[in-house]
């Protein structure tokens, strides 16, 4: 086997360069000699045979584009010779045969989690402080200052730079060169303060720009999202700050919580500032009641739980030309194993499923779910077109630079995160996961809007594949960063948790890396390993207002 390139699917008329292929190289595939007339960079694609103008180009067995001009055999695929094209789709009779992977090594495995009264199990135990409206963001920050350090929690991941050193140089009239050559990165030291509540993993402070103004549906959606966070198994309880006059009223939030959990019994503190004597009294009350809630939350301890209690979010961001052949299919294998073990997995980012709709429709367990998925995709695409955009504009400059030329090409690789199992449910944004198996969740491709939605629908852990690297995470769902290539894993070791580059290098298989990744997930779910996103405090939270976001 020639390890310089990969032919993914028999139907494909392009090959993937696994390493830089110099000009003048003669590639031999299936007894056909392919001349490389111009260097093809690693992660990029080149023509397996001559492709006529307007002919369809296939990758992963799917349509990923249309030739803008004739493409010669061995010629690199670029934005100059390929344009986005995707296959049409329709709801038909559902038929999909899922062959579960071997799960013998995991069928009796457990993780150490936090058991909730509704039967769910958390991989973490957090207290939330949430504003119902952006007017309360400042008070959330005041509570953050008042609570974190006295309770022994890490106060800021931003405290890594010694600006004082630069000030000292400036006062001593140091040169520009001296300032630029100064080492001002502080050494990372463990939090020396003892946590007052050792069974509470942290207090998470969320802020946002919603809750009032805009349209009423935005506020309703926000309340549904916040209810999803409060009822997430990783959350022990919450403090909610309300101004009083905003669109996102307290009863809307309370109703949303009851819809998710009719017997909701977690400690919940809801305070309204316009009913308080003063802002200081408002903050005082919030601190006292939060402290009492933390005492109750601290009574919950980790205990054994079956892997079926995991709800795994499947996310990608900063993808590259290797994502679809290493990190994503390895995560897809994890998804298939967890489904076979009775767990739930959730595939989101609907703009990045463009072009693979028919396969996903065929995989839906019921016609009702297939129709719902098709309707959500059609509505999303239509709204994007109405504002002068479209799914074809989804790939970022970084995606394109590293080999993802069209949205369909990006989507065909992104969908690999969902493995091959049957789709048991299709969810609109903020709808909770209620069924075991693979779920589809409508979110944007925007990384943080998507991970925010995954946690809001109940994911208690998230796996995030990346080829370029990204410093994002989630406040309540531990987020594992998975590199598609070894170069990234080594260059951004402080951000990446797991490397699937061995698949590209032919030193590992999709199956072996999938099993290795599942072992890591179990360790994270048990609190034995801490992902870098958690360690660095990458608590990103951006609610989606249902406007067009690709």
């Amino acid at each position: 086997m020639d390890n310089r390139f990969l032919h993914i699917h028999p139907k494909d008329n392009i090959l993937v360069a696994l390493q830089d292929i110099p000009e003048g190289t003669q590639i031999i595939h299936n007894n056909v000699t392919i001349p490389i007339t111009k260097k093809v960079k690693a992660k990029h694609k080149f023509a397996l045979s001559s492709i006529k103008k307007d002919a369809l180009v296939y990758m992963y067995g799917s349509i990923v584009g249309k030739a803008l001009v004739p493409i010669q055999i061995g010629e690199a695929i670029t934005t100059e010779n390929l344009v986005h094209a995707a296959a049409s789709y329709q709801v038909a009779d559902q038929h999909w045969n899922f062959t579960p992977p071997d799960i013998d090594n995991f069928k009796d495995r457990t993780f150490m989690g936090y058991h909730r009264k509704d039967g769910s199990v958390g991989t973490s135990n957090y207290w939330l402080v949430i504003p119902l409206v952006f007017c309360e963001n400042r008070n959330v920050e005041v509570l953050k200052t008042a609570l974190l350090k006295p309770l022994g929690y890490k106060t800021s991941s931003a405290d890594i730079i010694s600006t004082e050193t630069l000030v000292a140089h400036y006062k001593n009239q140091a040169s520009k060169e001296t300032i630029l050559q100064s080492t001002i990165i502080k050494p990372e030291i463990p939090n020396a303060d003892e946590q007052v509540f050792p069974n509470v993993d942290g207090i998470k402070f969320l802020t946002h720009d919603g809750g009032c103004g805009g349209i009423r549906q935005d506020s309703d959606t926000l309340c549904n999202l916040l209810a999803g966070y409060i009822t997430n198994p990783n959350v022990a309880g919450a403090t909610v700050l309300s101004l009083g006059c905003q669109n996102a009223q307290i009863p809307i939030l309370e109703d949303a919580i009851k819809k998710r959990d009719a017997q909701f019994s977690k400690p919940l503190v809801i305070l309204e500032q316009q009913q308080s004597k003063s802002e200081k009294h408002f903050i005082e009350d919030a601190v006292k009641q939060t402290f009492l809630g933390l005492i109750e939350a601290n009574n919950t301890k980790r205990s054994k739980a079956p892997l079926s209690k995991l709800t795994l979010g499947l996310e990608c961001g900063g993808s590259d030309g290797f994502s679809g052949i290493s990190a994503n299919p390895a995560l897809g294998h994890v998804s298939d194993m967890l489904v076979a073990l009775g767990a739930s997995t959730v595939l989101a980012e609907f703009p990045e499923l463009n072009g693979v709709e028919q396969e996903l429709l065929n995989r839906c367990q019921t016609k009702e779910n297939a129709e719902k998925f098709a309707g959500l995709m059609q509505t999303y695409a239509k709204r994007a077109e109405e504002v002068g955009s479209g799914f074809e504009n989804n790939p970022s400059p970084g995606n394109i630079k590293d080999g993802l030329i069209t949205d369909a090409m990006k989507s065909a690789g992104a969908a690999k995160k969902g493995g091959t199992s049957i789709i048991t449910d299709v969810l609109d944004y903020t709808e909770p996961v209620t069924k075991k198996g693979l779920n589809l969740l409508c979110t944007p491709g925007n990384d943080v809007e998507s991970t925010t939605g995954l946690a809001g629908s109940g994911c208690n852990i998230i796996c995030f594949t990346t080829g370029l690297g990204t410093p994002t995470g989630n406040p309540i769902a531990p987020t594992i960063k998975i590199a598609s290539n070894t170069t990234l894993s080594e260059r951004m070791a402080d951000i990446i948790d797991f490397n699937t580059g061995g698949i590209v290098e032919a030193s590992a298989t999709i199956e072996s890396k999938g099993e290795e990744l599942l072992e890591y997930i179990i360790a994270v779910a048990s609190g034995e390993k801490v992902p870098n996103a958690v360690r660095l405090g990458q608590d990103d939270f951006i609610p989606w207002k249902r406007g067009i976001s690709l």
Side-chain angles (χ1 to χ4, degrees):
M1 178 180 175
D2 193 330
N3 292 330
R4 292 174 296 176
F5 67 91
L6 179 66
H7 190 204
I8 298 175
H9 190 279
K11 195 174 182 179
D12 295 356
N13 53 2
I14 58 177
L15 302 174
V16 183
L18 300 181
Q19 54 186 261
D20 289 350
I21 303 179
E23 178 181 335
T25 301
Q26 298 286 321
I27 294 291
I28 299 177
H29 180 61
N30 289 341
N31 297 320
V32 175
T33 299
I34 304 171
I36 304 299
T37 57
K38 189 176 180 181
K39 176 183 176 181
V40 179
K41 294 181 179 179
K43 306 181 183 180
H44 285 259
K45 290 78 185 170
F46 58 97
L48 173 60
S49 58
S50 296
I51 302 172
K52 296 180 180 179
K53 181 179 183 297
D54 294 328
L56 295 176
V57 172
Y58 290 82
M59 186 176 172
Y60 304 104
S62 300
I63 297 171
V64 296
K66 182 175 71 173
L68 285 170
V69 296
I71 303 173
Q72 302 303 313
I73 183 172
E75 184 178 350
I77 303 300
T78 70
T79 54
E80 296 178 354
N81 58 27
L82 189 73
V83 68
H84 170 81
S88 60
Y89 58 92
Q90 62 180 359
V91 176
D93 293 333
Q94 277 53 64
H95 59 279
W96 189 261
N97 295 318
F98 170 53
T99 302
D102 183 2
I103 56 171
D104 285 348
N105 293 336
F106 297 94
K107 62 182 180 180
D108 296 320
R109 295 288 299 278
T110 59
F111 71 98
M112 298 295 288
Y114 295 96
H115 292 251
R116 307 300 181 190
K117 291 182 180 179
D118 65 355
S120 64
V121 181
T123 62
S124 301
N125 196 38
Y126 290 120
W127 187 274
L128 287 182
V129 178
I130 305 175
L132 260 185
V133 63
F134 56 81
C135 307
E136 291 299 322
N137 284 347
R138 181 178 62 256
N139 286 330
V140 169
E141 294 297 331
V142 173
L143 285 178
K144 187 175 183 178
T145 302
L147 290 169
L148 286 186
K149 189 174 181 179
L151 297 181
Y153 295 106
K154 188 175 181 181
T155 55
S156 176
S157 61
D159 188 25
I160 59 173
I161 298 296
S162 175
T163 308
E164 296 86 350
T165 301
L166 299 183
V167 173
H169 283 319
Y170 171 71
K171 289 183 176 179
N172 291 327
Q173 298 182 333
S175 65
K176 291 182 179 179
E177 290 73 19
T178 297
I179 290 174
L180 289 174
Q181 292 173 9
S182 298
T183 299
I184 61 172
I185 299 176
K186 296 179 182 179
E188 187 171 345
I189 57 175
N191 189 19
D193 298 326
E194 182 180 351
Q195 285 184 199
V196 175
F197 303 110
N199 295 324
V200 179
D201 295 316
I203 308 172
K204 298 297 184 175
F205 300 83
L206 309 185
T207 57
H208 55 79
D209 64 356
C212 204
I215 58 176
R216 295 300 174 93
Q217 290 91 329
D218 286 341
S219 295
D220 292 343
T221 299
L222 176 64
C223 287
N224 283 322
L225 179 69
L226 296 181
Y229 271 66
I230 292 168
T231 57
N232 187 291
N234 289 0
V235 172
T239 300
V240 179
L241 302 186
S242 169
L243 178 58
C245 57
Q246 73 277 350
N247 288 341
Q249 286 287 298
I250 292 172
I252 300 175
L253 175 65
E254 292 174 331
D255 287 344
I257 291 172
K258 288 178 182 178
K259 286 179 182 178
R260 282 167 167 74
D261 183 2
Q263 305 300 319
F264 180 79
S265 59
K266 292 179 182 179
L268 181 62
V269 177
I270 302 179
L271 301 171
E272 188 169 288
Q273 186 171 5
Q274 289 172 345
Q275 299 298 319
S276 182
K277 295 179 182 178
S278 69
E279 188 161 273
K280 288 182 179 180
H281 284 90
F282 182 61
I283 297 297
E284 178 188 39
D285 198 13
V287 170
K288 289 179 179 178
Q289 293 201 43
T290 298
F291 192 86
L292 291 175
L294 288 165
I295 293 174
E296 183 176 346
N298 193 55
N299 292 329
T300 304
K301 298 180 180 180
R302 290 185 184 270
S303 59
K304 287 185 179 180
L307 298 186
S308 60
K309 292 296 184 179
L310 291 176
T311 302
L312 180 67
L314 311 170
E315 179 70 22
C316 62
S319 299
D320 71 346
F322 286 163
S323 292
I325 61 178
S326 59
N328 290 347
L331 181 54
H333 187 63
V334 171
S335 177
D336 285 346
M337 285 192 291
L338 285 175
V339 167
L341 289 163
S344 300
T345 62
V346 188
L347 179 64
E349 302 179 287
F350 273 26
E352 297 183 7
L353 301 178
N354 178 226
V356 293
E357 293 98 338
Q358 191 62 60
E359 177 193 318
L360 296 175
L361 287 169
N362 294 342
R363 289 168 61 181
C364 285
Q365 192 173 52
T366 67
K367 187 174 182 180
E368 179 184 11
N369 279 334
E371 290 174 342
K372 184 175 182 179
F373 174 59
L376 288 168
M377 287 295 290
Q378 290 164 358
T379 299
Y380 207 144
K382 181 180 178 182
R383 288 177 178 172
E385 292 167 359
E386 286 173 350
V387 294
S389 188
F391 287 160
E392 67 272 13
N393 294 318
N394 185 28
S396 70
N399 294 149
I400 295 169
K401 181 181 177 182
D402 268 47
L404 298 178
I405 303 301
T406 69
D407 183 57
M409 186 182 292
K410 181 179 179 181
S411 295
K416 297 297 180 184
K417 301 191 303 294
T420 61
S421 61
I422 291 171
I423 295 164
T424 57
D425 209 359
V426 176
L427 309 172
D428 200 356
Y429 184 66
T430 76
E431 288 184 334
V433 175
T434 61
K435 295 182 180 179
K436 300 296 185 180
L438 176 63
N439 293 249
L440 300 183
L441 173 65
C442 184
T443 73
N446 177 298
D447 299 346
V448 178
E449 287 177 330
S450 182
T451 52
T452 297
L454 285 167
S457 287
C459 291
N460 55 10
I461 198 162
I462 294 172
C463 278
F464 192 129
T465 66
T466 182
L468 304 175
T470 174
T472 57
N474 183 266
I476 63 171
T479 302
I480 299 169
K481 296 288 181 51
I482 304 162
S484 72
N485 61 90
T486 301
T487 299
L488 169 64
S489 182
E490 293 175 347
R491 187 178 66 249
M492 301 185 76
D494 62 326
I495 288 176
I496 299 298
D497 302 297
F498 190 89
N499 178 28
T500 62
I503 296 171
V504 178
E505 299 153 7
S507 63
T509 65
I510 289 170
E511 292 76 18
S512 67
K513 278 296 175 183
E515 291 195 10
E516 186 182 339
L517 177 56
L518 182 51
E519 289 285 1
Y520 186 81
I521 291 169
I522 294 170
V524 171
S526 299
E528 296 168 3
K529 290 187 180 294
V530 179
N532 286 317
V534 176
R535 179 182 62 82
L536 294 169
Q538 294 171 343
D539 296 337
D540 300 302
F541 179 78
I542 303 179
W544 183 30
K545 290 186 177 181
R546 298 308 296 262
I548 291 305
S549 177
L550 296 176

